[in-house]
Amino acid sequence: MTAPTVTPSSSPAVDNNGVVEHKPYVPDKVKMPELTWSAVIVGGVARNRFRCIFTLLGVESRTNSLCLDSCRCIIDHPLSRLSKILPIRRATILENNIVQTTGSAGESIAFGVGVTMPALFLLGFEMDVARVMTVAVLGGLLGILMMIPLRRAFVVKQHGKLKYPEGTACADVLIVGEQGGASAKAVFTGFGLAFVYAFLMKAMRLWKDTLDLKLYNKAGQGLNKGVLGGELDPALLGVGYIIGPRIASIMVAGGVLAYLVLVPAIAYFGDGLTHPLAPAPENGKLIKNMSVGELRGNYILYIGAGAVATGGIISMFQALPVIFGSIWAGLRDLTGKGGGTTNGNGQRTERDLPMAVVLFGSLALVLAIAIAPKLGLDLIETSVAGIKFNWFGLVAAGLIVLLGFLFVTVSSRLTGEVGSSSNPISGMTVAALLITCLVFVVLGHNSKSDMLTALTIAAVVCIASSNGGTTSQDLKTGFLVGATPSKQQWAILAGALTSALVIGYTLLALNEAGSVYSKKKEVIPDYKVPPAVMATLTDMQKAGGQYKSDPTSYHVFHVGESESVDLKIPPGKYLVDDEGKIIYFVDPAINGKLDKWMIAAM
């Protein structure tokens, strides 16, 4: 049994306005297997798990998507030959597209969880599975649903203007795998050269994989705190080639502005300060004692977050006519007056999920966000007196939706311009957190539990914006190869759910595997937890690492950054006995400080 043959569309035509008419690789009238169980299972189970783990380990998984698709092409050619002599069907290009679409959800959710949930440790909270799963599910689905009506605005109507580099590259690799011949040889040659380069650099250590050149000496002479740096990765070189010299130059200009202008300027003007300058911690270092990395974390990151938020708002207002036009077209389809591109009629390659799914799905998510106990919004409070409605929960849920729509729009547009590898999701997350905290302070919610709620809201927005950008890349790939958008959207919804259900366990397992348990006197403070505080400690845990043979269950005592100043003990996680005595210091793998090989008890 063989897959239907495809005759690629002819060269694109140009209309009277000079706009390039897009003709997908698989023409609209061609029907072939696409959303099959085998494609969803391979993408949602095998490939999704691979991406989740590698993203949590710090590998930029969307860039590695090209490597995965290249490997698929290498495997697909022998299978295509076998399909000629054996009774097996070769996977179609649209099925392979569903595989990469389903699998891409894992990276975006893993990234969003990985950059937000570990902050719970710093605030003095436990990172439990239920909270991670709740945030991952709600953020993942929210980003996808909000991206569906934006597909026409950005992927279709901005075709030729927004390139979506990784999505375009994935489409090229999928098409090369289908065509074979000289094009496939070029891809395989590039893949081989990149492998040899990476092997010589990382395995043989013939040269460094990062460049870090200081433009000053120890005395501060030269351009104080100015550095030239870069990552010599062949994958990033490929991304630079894809996005082109203009966008690449903009990215380089941002680095020049940050590390050759702003960092030296902050170091120069802050050299004479005798106290820490906000937003650095009150008990933190002086500017003159900070490293370049600390200057970035305390100042440049917030400058970048403000720039991203401001630029995103301006960009969103500029794109509002196109966005509203696309949403209006979807609503017209919902009433049966718009040609039927979303309600199951019309062209196959323009068939999105019905707008009813987007509207009712979004409303259901708002309700779920408001009442989810792990988000701390408490829309509905239960007490002895009965059930009481909490307006703050509705305000916070509305804040998630507004920030989610804003940053999903920004993420999708920026992804189209600079690619997923350069998409400043961390800056959007910081901006969302700052806006959320500002609203909370205005409303008088500034307790420790409100800090947890604010961080959780930022995590949902982060995952939504990350998934929105990834979804737009996938839809661009499908747009180029001739996929059915609605089937892609179902596939990425399935991928998001499967990723969200396991990401909590994966993150906690990786963190526990690298956590360090220590009894060293240098890290165990001379402090006894008061009985009143002991009564509030409900979590119990046994020791791990080299002390896993200890059968005792200890109380978990978290000390946040702000609490450590008052208690005069280092922030972190401690295990204490029933008397309140600290027995172990638990240094997590995430943001850990202790050397794993210097943990022997003294």
Side-chain angles (χ1 to χ4, degrees):
M1 180 179 180
T2 58
T5 55
V6 176
T7 301
S9 300
S10 57
S11 301
V14 180
D15 62 16
N16 295 330
N17 297 321
V19 178
V20 178
E21 178 187 357
H22 169 66
K23 291 188 177 181
Y25 179 79
V26 180
D28 177 75
K29 296 182 180 179
V30 173
K31 294 183 178 180
M32 62 174 61
E34 185 172 1
L35 186 62
T36 59
W37 282 109
S38 58
V40 173
I41 291 173
V42 171
V45 178
R47 192 170 179 179
N48 227 338
R49 302 295 76 72
F50 175 87
R51 281 177 155 177
C52 281
I53 293 174
F54 270 73
T55 304
L56 289 174
L57 290 175
V59 180
E60 202 294 302
S61 187
R62 183 69 204 185
T63 302
N64 287 315
S65 173
L66 303 180
C67 299
L68 292 173
D69 284 322
S70 299
C71 292
R72 183 204 58 75
C73 291
I74 295 173
I75 298 173
D76 198 37
H77 280 294
L79 291 180
S80 65
R81 294 179 180 273
L82 288 175
S83 64
K84 297 179 180 179
I85 58 177
L86 296 177
I88 59 175
R89 179 179 65 83
R90 178 191 177 193
T92 67
I93 185 174
L94 298 187
E95 283 180 302
N96 287 325
N97 180 56
I98 289 295
V99 171
Q100 74 92 17
T101 297
T102 310
S104 66
E107 71 176 89
S108 55
I109 292 179
F111 176 82
V113 170
V115 300
T116 54
M117 289 292 97
L120 295 175
F121 290 128
L122 301 180
L123 293 177
F125 296 100
E126 188 70 18
M127 187 172 60
D128 59 283
V129 174
R131 180 178 299 277
V132 175
M133 288 177 57
T134 301
V135 169
V137 169
L138 296 178
L141 296 182
L142 186 66
I144 296 170
L145 288 176
M146 288 186 170
M147 181 56 212
I148 290 174
L150 296 178
R151 186 189 73 88
R152 293 183 185 179
F154 293 147
V155 175
V156 177
K157 294 186 178 181
Q158 297 288 324
H159 178 60
K161 297 180 180 179
L162 299 179
K163 296 183 179 180
Y164 291 99
E166 290 92 345
T168 301
C170 283
D172 291 340
V173 173
L174 287 170
I175 293 173
V176 164
E178 188 76 8
Q179 291 178 336
S183 298
K185 290 180 180 178
V187 171
F188 301 152
T189 301
F191 184 81
L193 290 175
F195 175 80
V196 172
Y197 179 94
F199 177 80
L200 294 176
M201 178 178 64
K202 296 184 178 181
M204 302 299 294
R205 303 280 184 179
L206 296 184
W207 60 86
K208 293 183 178 180
D209 57 353
T210 57
L211 174 66
D212 186 9
L213 178 62
K214 295 181 179 180
L215 303 180
Y216 61 96
N217 55 26
K218 293 182 179 180
Q221 295 175 334
L223 185 60
N224 190 22
K225 304 299 182 181
V227 295
L228 289 175
E231 187 174 352
L232 308 178
D233 194 314
L236 296 179
L237 179 64
V239 172
Y241 172 78
I242 293 170
I243 64 178
R246 177 179 174 274
I247 299 299
S249 298
I250 293 175
M251 301 303 298
V252 172
V256 171
L257 177 63
Y259 292 100
L260 297 183
V261 179
L262 294 180
V263 169
I266 293 173
Y268 176 78
F269 289 105
D271 186 63
L273 294 179
T274 57
H275 59 276
L277 177 66
E282 295 181 1
N283 59 341
K285 293 182 179 180
L286 299 177
I287 286 181
K288 62 183 179 181
N289 297 328
M290 289 184 181
S291 65
V292 174
E294 289 170 334
L295 287 172
R296 176 197 175 277
N298 287 315
Y299 302 105
I300 303 301
L301 180 62
Y302 296 100
I303 295 174
V308 168
T310 304
I313 292 173
I314 294 173
S315 177
M316 188 186 71
F317 276 110
Q318 291 175 340
L320 278 181
V322 181
I323 294 172
F324 285 146
S326 299
I327 296 176
W328 177 247
L331 293 175
R332 293 185 63 193
D333 291 340
L334 183 61
T335 61
K337 298 180 181 180
T341 57
T342 63
N343 61 9
N345 303 316
Q347 294 184 350
R348 177 185 62 81
T349 53
E350 288 297 323
R351 194 178 302 155
D352 290 296
L353 284 178
M355 188 58 67
V357 174
V358 177
L359 292 177
F360 290 111
S362 298
L363 290 175
L365 278 178
V366 171
L367 182 61
I369 287 170
I371 65 177
K374 286 298 179 179
L375 294 187
L377 304 187
D378 299 326
L379 176 63
I380 300 176
E381 297 178 343
T382 57
S383 62
V384 179
I387 299 177
K388 185 178 72 172
F389 180 82
N390 181 13
W391 65 271
F392 174 70
L394 188 61
V395 171
L399 188 63
I400 291 178
V401 174
L402 290 176
L403 292 178
F405 181 75
L406 168 63
F407 288 114
V408 166
T409 304
V410 173
S411 177
S412 178
R413 189 174 183 88
L414 285 179
T415 299
E417 293 179 349
V418 301
S420 296
S421 303
S422 303
N423 195 12
I425 297 296
S426 58
M428 298 181 203
T429 306
V430 172
L433 183 59
L434 291 175
I435 295 172
T436 302
C437 291
L438 177 62
V439 173
F440 278 27
V441 170
V442 171
L443 296 177
H445 289 262
N446 52 9
S447 65
K448 184 176 180 180
S449 61
D450 291 325
M451 294 170 59
L452 173 62
T453 302
L455 179 62
T456 308
I457 290 176
V460 174
V461 174
C462 173
I463 295 171
S465 57
S466 178
N467 220 10
T470 300
T471 302
S472 62
Q473 291 278 24
D474 293 325
L475 293 176
K476 181 66 173 184
T477 301
F479 179 72
L480 295 175
V481 301
T484 307
S486 60
K487 294 182 178 180
Q488 276 192 283
Q489 289 154 4
W490 281 121
I492 200 167
L493 282 170
L497 280 175
T498 56
S499 298
L501 292 176
V502 301
I503 192 67
Y505 293 101
T506 305
L507 179 61
L508 292 178
L510 291 174
N511 180 64
E512 182 61 27
S515 294
V516 173
Y517 293 77
S518 178
K519 283 186 174 182
K520 291 184 67 174
K521 295 179 180 179
E522 289 82 356
V523 298
I524 300 295
D526 185 16
Y527 177 80
K528 187 174 182 179
V529 182
V533 177
M534 287 292 299
T536 65
L537 303 181
T538 58
D539 295 330
M540 303 291 291
Q541 180 183 332
K542 293 183 179 180
Q546 77 275 33
Y547 301 106
K548 60 183 178 180
S549 59
D550 185 352
T552 308
S553 293
Y554 297 94
H555 299 273
V556 179
F557 178 48
H558 284 283
V559 179
E561 293 279 355
S562 59
E563 298 168 313
S564 66
V565 178
D566 298 330
L567 299 179
K568 297 182 180 180
I569 62 175
K573 178 180 177 181
Y574 300 94
L575 300 184
V576 301
D577 61 16
D578 294 334
E579 303 299 323
K581 181 181 178 182
I582 297 177
I583 306 300
Y584 294 100
F585 172 72
V586 183
D587 193 45
I590 303 171
N591 294 324
K593 302 175 182 178
L594 295 183
D595 189 337
K596 191 172 183 178
W597 304 109
M598 299 178 64
I599 54 178
M602 296 182 63

